[in-house]
Amino acid sequence: MTHQREPQRVALHTRLKPGKEAEYESVHAVIPPELDTALREAGVRTWRIWRNGLDLFHVVEVDDYAAMRAALRDHPANVPWQARMAELLAVEDDYSGGDTGIGLVWELPEKE
């Protein structure tokens, strides 16, 4: 029996350009099928985004966040998506750094 390890849970924060809220939500209503496939093939299990004004909060559950970023950096489905997001976000994600997400401070422990 193979044991699948627990996914990494990574929190991210991004910020929209003023006035781009409705457009961002519209673009995310249905992502391109090839991007969906690329994300899943890169180990993404879930990706949720919340918005509060211009602030976006993401929680990604992924097998290996660094490997996912490396796989998507030059992926033909992700490059045009990131170009589109650059039009909407205050700071473009150029996939250049050692992004590890927001550090966890506290979590309510699960009851056994």
Side-chain angles (χ1 to χ4, degrees), residues 1-2 5 10 12-13 21-22 46 48 62 69 75-76 82:
M1 179 169 102
T2 60
R5 72 177 211 178
V10 180
L12 307 168
H13 172 251
E21 302 90 336
T46 65
R48 295 176 177 95
V62 60
R69 300 263 304 163
H75 194 287
Q82 291 306 320

Side-chain angles (χ1 to χ4, degrees), residues 34-65:
E34 59 275 12
L35 180 61
D36 182 289
T37 299
L39 289 167
R40 293 175 194 280
E41 287 176 351
V44 175
R45 298 184 191 190
T46 65
W47 193 315
R48 295 176 177 95
I49 304 171
W50 291 263
R51 184 176 68 78
N52 181 17
L54 298 176
D55 293 298
L56 301 167
F57 302 94
H58 311 242
V59 175
V60 184
E61 290 186 352
V62 60
D63 295 333
D64 181 327
Y65 184 69

